């Protein structure tokens, strides 16, 4: 396993360490610490021999249903995690192999040397998770809250190409405003039980590149109807009644 792949594999297990020591003698499970599964943890830093190395922006990991997935700030990763007494073991780890800048790669190598072997002691305090090696080196992580539906600028990522397509929902006015990639749009938006009822859209009348107009037409199909919505940390999906989906990420 090369250094980058090993580091990403190590990062995958970090939040899971807090799950150790939660079983009763009779086999029943108890929660000895605040839960670490289903939480989006951002990696803050790793401290080795008294020197703290700050993590690149975007380094994160989420654990759910026996799987770990995240992004190191460049590459995405997934892995299967199993427990052996007080130890954690990764298997079936996969990562993307995009080229990263020098600093993320240097941090990756430091993390690999620190956490490739040995048990990790855990301490969860509030929204902070600290992992400590047998030699006293530490990795610090923080819980990153989900982006709220209201007040967030949701940049459309699909269907594409999207240009500067984005939407923002305003609870006070009960409206959604934004851009469809070419034209501005506004409409009423009523949110209830995982659904958003979008009113008839009012738009400007500009004509843009054919590909952007195609995307715009697809997005307009979400309006004047009720769509399902799903929030996943900083991602939003909108699904129309006929199954067509628009995806967005929080950009502000």
């Amino acid at each position: 396993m090369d250094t980058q792949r090993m580091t990403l594999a190590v990062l995958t297990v970090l939040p899971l360490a807090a799950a150790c020591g939660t079983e009763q003698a009779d086999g029943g499970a108890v929660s000895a610490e605040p839960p670490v599964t289903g939480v989006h943890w951002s990696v803050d830093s790793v401290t080795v021999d008294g020197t703290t190395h700050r993590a690149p922006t975007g380094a994160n990991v989420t654990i759910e249903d026996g799987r770990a997935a995240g992004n190191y700030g460049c590459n995405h990763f997934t892995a299967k995690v199993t427990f052996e007494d007080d130890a954690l073991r990764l298997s079936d780890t996969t990562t993307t192999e995009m080229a990263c800048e020098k600093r993320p790669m240097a941090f990756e190598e430091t993390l690999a040397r620190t956490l490739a072997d040995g048990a990790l002691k855990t301490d969860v305090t509030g929204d902070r998770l600290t992992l400590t090696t047998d030699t006293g080196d530490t990795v610090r992580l923080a819980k990153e809250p989900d982006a709220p539906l209201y007040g967030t600028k949701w940049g459309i990522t699909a269907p594409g190409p999207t240009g500067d397509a984005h939407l923002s929902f305003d609870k006070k006015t009960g409206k959604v405003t934004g851009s469809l990639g070419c034209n501005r749009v506004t409409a009423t938006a009523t949110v209830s039980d995982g659904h958003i009822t979008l009113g008839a859209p009012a738009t400007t009348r500009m004509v843009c590149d054919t590909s952007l107009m195609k995307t715009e037409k697809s997005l307009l199909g979400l309006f004047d109807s009720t769509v399902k919505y799903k929030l996943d940390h900083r991602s939003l999906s909108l699904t129309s009644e006929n199954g067509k989906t628009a995806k967005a990420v929080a950009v502000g």
Side-chain angles (χ1 to χ4, degrees), residues 65-90:
D65 298 328
R67 301 290 300 178
N71 186 286
Y72 188 70
C74 176
N75 285 284
H76 298 277
F77 65 89
T78 62
K80 178 182 178 181
V81 182
T82 56
F83 293 89
E84 299 175 2
D85 296 326
D86 292 333
L88 298 169
R89 186 177 298 274
L90 285 177

Short mmCIF file of all heavy atoms in Angstrom, two decimals, residues 65-90:
data_model
loop_
_atom_site.label_atom_id
_atom_site.label_comp_id
_atom_site.label_asym_id
_atom_site.label_seq_id
_atom_site.Cartn_x
_atom_site.Cartn_y
_atom_site.Cartn_z
N ASP A 65 -23.14 2.63 9.22
CA ASP A 65 -23.46 1.28 8.77
C ASP A 65 -22.21 0.46 8.46
O ASP A 65 -22.15 -0.27 7.46
CB ASP A 65 -24.35 1.33 7.53
CG ASP A 65 -25.68 2.03 7.81
OD1 ASP A 65 -26.16 1.91 8.96
OD2 ASP A 65 -26.22 2.68 6.90
N GLY A 66 -21.19 0.55 9.32
CA GLY A 66 -20.00 -0.25 9.15
C GLY A 66 -19.08 0.18 8.03
O GLY A 66 -18.13 -0.53 7.68
N ARG A 67 -19.35 1.34 7.47
CA ARG A 67 -18.53 1.86 6.39
C ARG A 67 -17.99 3.23 6.78
O ARG A 67 -18.63 3.98 7.53
CB ARG A 67 -19.32 2.00 5.10
CG ARG A 67 -19.93 0.73 4.58
CD ARG A 67 -18.92 -0.25 4.04
NE ARG A 67 -18.13 0.29 2.94
CZ ARG A 67 -17.15 -0.38 2.33
NH1 ARG A 67 -16.86 -1.62 2.73
NH2 ARG A 67 -16.48 0.15 1.35
N ALA A 68 -16.82 3.54 6.28
CA ALA A 68 -16.23 4.86 6.47
C ALA A 68 -16.05 5.49 5.11
O ALA A 68 -15.65 4.82 4.15
CB ALA A 68 -14.89 4.74 7.18
N ALA A 69 -16.35 6.77 5.02
CA ALA A 69 -16.18 7.48 3.75
C ALA A 69 -15.81 8.92 4.05
O ALA A 69 -16.21 9.48 5.08
CB ALA A 69 -17.47 7.42 2.93
N GLY A 70 -15.05 9.52 3.18
CA GLY A 70 -14.68 10.91 3.41
C GLY A 70 -13.81 11.46 2.31
O GLY A 70 -13.72 10.90 1.22
N ASN A 71 -13.18 12.57 2.62
CA ASN A 71 -12.31 13.25 1.67
C ASN A 71 -11.15 13.86 2.44
O ASN A 71 -11.36 14.46 3.50
CB ASN A 71 -13.09 14.33 0.92
CG ASN A 71 -12.26 14.98 -0.17
OD1 ASN A 71 -11.36 15.78 0.11
ND2 ASN A 71 -12.55 14.64 -1.40
N TYR A 72 -9.96 13.68 1.91
CA TYR A 72 -8.79 14.17 2.60
C TYR A 72 -8.47 15.63 2.25
O TYR A 72 -7.52 16.21 2.76
CB TYR A 72 -7.58 13.28 2.30
CG TYR A 72 -6.39 13.63 3.15
CD1 TYR A 72 -6.39 13.35 4.51
CD2 TYR A 72 -5.29 14.28 2.60
CE1 TYR A 72 -5.31 13.69 5.30
CE2 TYR A 72 -4.20 14.62 3.39
CZ TYR A 72 -4.22 14.34 4.74
OH TYR A 72 -3.15 14.69 5.52
N GLY A 73 -9.28 16.22 1.43
CA GLY A 73 -9.00 17.55 0.92
C GLY A 73 -8.63 17.49 -0.53
O GLY A 73 -8.60 18.52 -1.22
N CYS A 74 -8.40 16.27 -1.02
CA CYS A 74 -8.13 16.04 -2.44
C CYS A 74 -8.82 14.75 -2.87
O CYS A 74 -9.67 14.77 -3.73
CB CYS A 74 -6.63 15.98 -2.70
SG CYS A 74 -6.19 15.58 -4.42
N ASN A 75 -8.45 13.66 -2.27
CA ASN A 75 -8.97 12.35 -2.68
C ASN A 75 -10.12 11.87 -1.80
O ASN A 75 -10.10 12.05 -0.58
CB ASN A 75 -7.85 11.31 -2.66
CG ASN A 75 -6.92 11.46 -3.84
OD1 ASN A 75 -7.27 11.07 -4.95
ND2 ASN A 75 -5.75 12.04 -3.62
N HIS A 76 -11.10 11.23 -2.43
CA HIS A 76 -12.19 10.58 -1.72
C HIS A 76 -11.77 9.16 -1.33
O HIS A 76 -10.91 8.56 -1.98
CB HIS A 76 -13.44 10.50 -2.60
CG HIS A 76 -13.97 11.85 -3.00
ND1 HIS A 76 -14.79 12.59 -2.19
CD2 HIS A 76 -13.78 12.58 -4.12
CE1 HIS A 76 -15.09 13.73 -2.79
NE2 HIS A 76 -14.50 13.75 -3.97
N PHE A 77 -12.40 8.62 -0.29
CA PHE A 77 -12.08 7.27 0.13
C PHE A 77 -13.29 6.60 0.75
O PHE A 77 -14.20 7.26 1.26
CB PHE A 77 -10.92 7.25 1.12
CG PHE A 77 -11.24 7.93 2.43
CD1 PHE A 77 -11.80 7.23 3.48
CD2 PHE A 77 -10.98 9.28 2.59
CE1 PHE A 77 -12.10 7.84 4.68
CE2 PHE A 77 -11.28 9.91 3.79
CZ PHE A 77 -11.84 9.21 4.83
N THR A 78 -13.29 5.27 0.71
CA THR A 78 -14.28 4.45 1.43
C THR A 78 -13.55 3.23 1.99
O THR A 78 -12.51 2.83 1.47
CB THR A 78 -15.43 3.98 0.53
OG1 THR A 78 -14.89 3.15 -0.51
CG2 THR A 78 -16.17 5.15 -0.08
N ALA A 79 -14.11 2.63 3.04
CA ALA A 79 -13.49 1.44 3.63
C ALA A 79 -14.49 0.70 4.50
O ALA A 79 -15.46 1.28 4.98
CB ALA A 79 -12.26 1.82 4.44
N LYS A 80 -14.23 -0.57 4.71
CA LYS A 80 -14.95 -1.39 5.67
C LYS A 80 -14.14 -1.41 6.96
O LYS A 80 -12.92 -1.47 6.92
CB LYS A 80 -15.12 -2.81 5.13
CG LYS A 80 -15.83 -3.76 6.07
CD LYS A 80 -15.91 -5.15 5.46
CE LYS A 80 -16.57 -6.13 6.41
NZ LYS A 80 -16.62 -7.50 5.82
N VAL A 81 -14.82 -1.35 8.11
CA VAL A 81 -14.12 -1.30 9.40
C VAL A 81 -14.63 -2.42 10.29
O VAL A 81 -15.83 -2.65 10.41
CB VAL A 81 -14.33 0.05 10.09
CG1 VAL A 81 -13.56 0.10 11.41
CG2 VAL A 81 -13.89 1.18 9.19
N THR A 82 -13.70 -3.15 10.93
CA THR A 82 -14.07 -4.19 11.89
C THR A 82 -13.32 -3.97 13.19
O THR A 82 -12.26 -3.33 13.22
CB THR A 82 -13.73 -5.59 11.35
OG1 THR A 82 -12.33 -5.64 11.01
CG2 THR A 82 -14.56 -5.92 10.13
N PHE A 83 -13.88 -4.49 14.30
CA PHE A 83 -13.28 -4.34 15.63
C PHE A 83 -12.70 -5.68 16.07
O PHE A 83 -13.31 -6.73 15.86
CB PHE A 83 -14.32 -3.90 16.65
CG PHE A 83 -14.83 -2.50 16.42
CD1 PHE A 83 -15.93 -2.28 15.59
CD2 PHE A 83 -14.23 -1.42 17.04
CE1 PHE A 83 -16.40 -1.00 15.38
CE2 PHE A 83 -14.70 -0.13 16.83
CZ PHE A 83 -15.78 0.08 15.99
N GLU A 84 -11.53 -5.65 16.69
CA GLU A 84 -10.90 -6.82 17.28
C GLU A 84 -10.46 -6.46 18.69
O GLU A 84 -9.42 -5.82 18.87
CB GLU A 84 -9.71 -7.27 16.44
CG GLU A 84 -10.09 -7.66 15.01
CD GLU A 84 -8.88 -7.98 14.16
OE1 GLU A 84 -7.76 -7.92 14.70
OE2 GLU A 84 -9.06 -8.28 12.98
N ASP A 85 -11.28 -6.81 19.69
CA ASP A 85 -11.04 -6.39 21.07
C ASP A 85 -10.97 -4.86 21.10
O ASP A 85 -11.93 -4.21 20.76
CB ASP A 85 -9.78 -7.04 21.63
CG ASP A 85 -9.92 -8.55 21.72
OD1 ASP A 85 -11.05 -9.01 21.99
OD2 ASP A 85 -8.93 -9.25 21.51
N ASP A 86 -9.80 -4.32 21.51
CA ASP A 86 -9.66 -2.87 21.58
C ASP A 86 -9.05 -2.29 20.30
O ASP A 86 -8.73 -1.10 20.26
CB ASP A 86 -8.77 -2.48 22.76
CG ASP A 86 -9.45 -2.77 24.09
OD1 ASP A 86 -10.69 -2.77 24.11
OD2 ASP A 86 -8.75 -3.03 25.08
N ALA A 87 -8.86 -3.10 19.31
CA ALA A 87 -8.21 -2.64 18.08
C ALA A 87 -9.23 -2.43 16.96
O ALA A 87 -10.34 -2.94 17.00
CB ALA A 87 -7.15 -3.64 17.65
N LEU A 88 -8.81 -1.67 15.98
CA LEU A 88 -9.61 -1.42 14.80
C LEU A 88 -8.83 -1.89 13.58
O LEU A 88 -7.62 -1.75 13.52
CB LEU A 88 -9.89 0.08 14.65
CG LEU A 88 -10.70 0.73 15.77
CD1 LEU A 88 -10.65 2.24 15.63
CD2 LEU A 88 -12.12 0.24 15.76
N ARG A 89 -9.56 -2.47 12.62
CA ARG A 89 -8.89 -2.94 11.41
C ARG A 89 -9.69 -2.52 10.18
O ARG A 89 -10.90 -2.70 10.14
CB ARG A 89 -8.72 -4.45 11.43
CG ARG A 89 -7.90 -4.98 10.25
CD ARG A 89 -7.70 -6.48 10.37
NE ARG A 89 -6.95 -6.81 11.58
CZ ARG A 89 -5.62 -6.81 11.64
NH1 ARG A 89 -4.91 -6.46 10.58
NH2 ARG A 89 -5.01 -7.14 12.76
N LEU A 90 -8.99 -1.99 9.20
CA LEU A 90 -9.61 -1.61 7.93
C LEU A 90 -9.46 -2.72 6.90
O LEU A 90 -8.47 -3.44 6.91
CB LEU A 90 -8.94 -0.36 7.37
CG LEU A 90 -9.25 0.98 8.02
CD1 LEU A 90 -8.43 2.06 7.36
CD2 LEU A 90 -10.71 1.30 7.94
#
